[in-house]
Amino acid sequence: MSISNSPIAKRMLGSTGLSVSEIGFGSSPFSGRTYGRIDREQASNALRTYLHRGGNFIDTARSYNDAELIIGEVIKETGNRDKLVLASKTARIAESDIRRHLEESLQALGTDYLDVLYLHWPPEDDAEKRDVLRIFSKLKNEKLVKAIGVSIPGPDVTSDSVCMAKWFLETGQVDVLQLIFSVLRQKFRNVIADAHARGMGVVCRTVLESGFLTGKYRPGARFDDKRKRWNPSMLRNIYDSVARLEEFALPEYESLGKFATRFVLDEPDVSSAIIGAKSEDQLLSNLSAASMPPLDREIRSRLLAVYANETEKYNAGKRPLPSRIIRKIRRTLHV
């Protein structure tokens, strides 16, 4: 694996005035729930390496167990808070709960403000969404957060997901939009362009489709983590497409993971691609994609033509949770 030591390039996060690394550090694996248990020191080393390489955009959430604490320890050790862009999330919708979550995040991270606060699990009710945005605006005016963000829920990307994203675009109150985007699931592509045109920062996650686009997994692989949610039919679709994509990717792009990351980085209106890492090796593999040249125009055109309307084939295929269950989860999360 060839790894460049050049600093990670930065892009503007919409009209926020914040400059962020085009590959952001995703701390979801630090939760221990996403991809199994973690070694705390390995996780810390991965983040140290990211910062040493000039990375500055760290993505976390109140619900990621000890992730914020691990990040806070590394930031305290390095002493470079002023050079970082810290983004966290809350799924709460009552003002007292939002403020409590924010205070807990600030304490864990060892800072007195967040650069971006995302609404992690937006409610379905429009009145509730407007009320949360009002609360977030108050926090922004109080300089507790610099930018208001919304994370459009997964794991599936559907027409309802697109409608929710468009609703937030129309409010004119959101500074940063985070959503799922990959070579296999491009349903948000027009939303990304619209958000950019409105001056919003666009942050993409699930770029490697929970590791499937690394090429490490083959039919028959067994999972004891969040990848259990994919039903067999959807898994077959993923594995079939991985085999086809490898014909495009190898050997020129060294690995399918780098190829898939470049596809997202080459999207002109994307501010940053958030990629998770549990160890230094994983991090370095992720970062190496940034130093590779853009995809060949003809190849990219073919990928857009083949997969632009195929998103639903690669969803997990699980029925969405009923609203009453979502409300219960939101009430009980980090009480």
Side-chain angles (χ1 to χ4, degrees):
M1 176 178 68
S2 63
I3 298 174
S4 169
N5 289 318
S6 58
I8 309 167
K10 292 183 172 60
R11 304 179 181 185
M12 294 306 299
L13 188 63
S15 301
T16 64
L18 300 168
S19 177
V20 297
S21 300
E22 62 181 5
I23 293 184
F25 189 96
S27 69
S28 173
F30 287 11
S31 70
R33 294 196 305 262
T34 315
Y35 300 109
R37 297 181 64 180
I38 63 159
D39 181 289
R40 195 178 182 111
E41 188 57 29
Q42 279 191 342
S44 297
N45 284 337
L47 180 54
R48 290 185 190 102
T49 300
Y50 177 76
L51 299 179
H52 179 71
R53 287 283 306 276
N56 78 331
F57 193 25
I58 303 175
D59 181 270
T60 188
R62 189 84 285 271
S63 60
Y64 293 171
N65 289 342
D66 288 342
E68 290 178 327
L69 285 171
I70 296 172
I71 294 166
E73 290 168 359
V74 174
I75 292 173
K76 182 178 180 181
E77 171 191 313
T78 56
N80 60 349
R81 167 64 183 101
D82 60 326
K83 297 179 181 178
L84 303 179
V85 178
L86 296 181
S88 193
K89 312 179 190 76
T90 178
R92 305 313 291 262
I93 58 176
E95 181 167 1
S96 60
D97 292 334
I98 291 171
R99 287 184 178 275
R100 176 168 58 84
H101 263 199
L102 175 58
E103 180 56 36
E104 290 170 353
S105 291
L106 296 178
Q107 184 174 354
L109 293 166
T111 184
D112 55 5
Y113 70 95
L114 286 178
D115 295 283
V116 184
L117 177 63
Y118 290 104
L119 175 57
H120 201 178
W121 203 335
E124 295 179 3
D125 182 78
D126 288 352
E128 289 184 330
K129 289 200 287 281
R130 282 191 289 269
D131 198 42
V132 173
L133 289 178
R134 178 188 60 79
I135 296 164
F136 275 36
S137 293
K138 288 172 65 175
L139 299 174
K140 186 177 179 181
N141 290 335
E142 294 168 23
K143 301 190 184 307
L144 292 171
V145 301
K146 288 187 175 181
I148 296 171
V150 172
S151 178
I152 304 300
D156 290 350
V157 179
T158 65
S159 295
D160 287 343
S161 309
V162 172
C163 287
M164 176 178 281
K166 288 182 176 179
W167 187 95
F168 281 108
L169 293 184
E170 292 297 329
T171 68
Q173 295 179 267
V174 177
D175 303 304
V176 184
L177 192 67
Q178 183 180 126
L179 39 73
I180 291 170
F181 186 70
S182 77
V183 64
L184 295 182
R185 295 198 285 177
Q186 303 177 28
K187 198 174 187 73
F188 280 122
R189 192 160 186 260
N190 289 338
V191 171
I192 291 172
D194 191 7
H196 177 78
R198 294 169 185 260
M200 294 172 62
V202 178
V203 177
C204 296
R205 69 178 190 275
T206 322
V207 171
L208 297 178
E209 290 293 358
S210 301
F212 290 117
L213 287 180
T214 64
K216 295 178 182 177
Y217 305 104
R218 301 298 173 183
R222 295 183 179 275
F223 302 102
D224 191 27
D225 53 37
K226 75 172 189 175
R227 286 168 291 204
K228 291 190 299 183
R229 62 169 61 121
W230 270 266
N231 70 36
S233 175
M234 301 305 195
L235 278 177
R236 282 194 297 272
N237 292 337
I238 290 173
Y239 287 132
D240 288 346
S241 286
V242 163
R244 290 197 299 271
L245 287 169
E246 285 178 329
E247 296 178 6
F248 288 106
L250 305 176
E252 287 82 0
Y253 292 93
E254 298 181 4
S255 75
L256 179 58
K258 296 176 187 180
F259 180 81
T261 302
R262 272 272 37 122
F263 175 85
V264 174
L265 294 180
D266 291 346
E267 191 67 28
D269 298 328
V270 168
S271 305
S272 183
I274 298 295
I275 308 179
K278 292 172 63 175
S279 67
E280 186 177 17
D281 287 345
Q282 287 183 358
L283 172 77
L284 292 173
S285 178
N286 296 340
L287 295 185
S288 62
S291 62
M292 302 193 73
L295 299 186
D296 177 84
R297 286 186 180 181
E298 182 178 345
I299 289 177
R300 183 171 179 81
S301 295
R302 291 174 66 184
L303 295 174
L304 292 172
V306 171
Y307 294 105
N309 300 308
E310 298 287 291
T311 291
E312 284 80 359
K313 287 178 59 176
Y314 306 103
N315 285 333
K318 302 293 186 182
R319 289 185 299 175
L321 292 174
S323 298
R324 60 182 176 82
I325 300 297
I326 292 175
R327 287 195 295 271
K328 182 177 180 180
I329 292 172
R330 187 179 288 115
R331 286 196 303 269
T332 57
L333 187 62
H334 283 274
V335 172

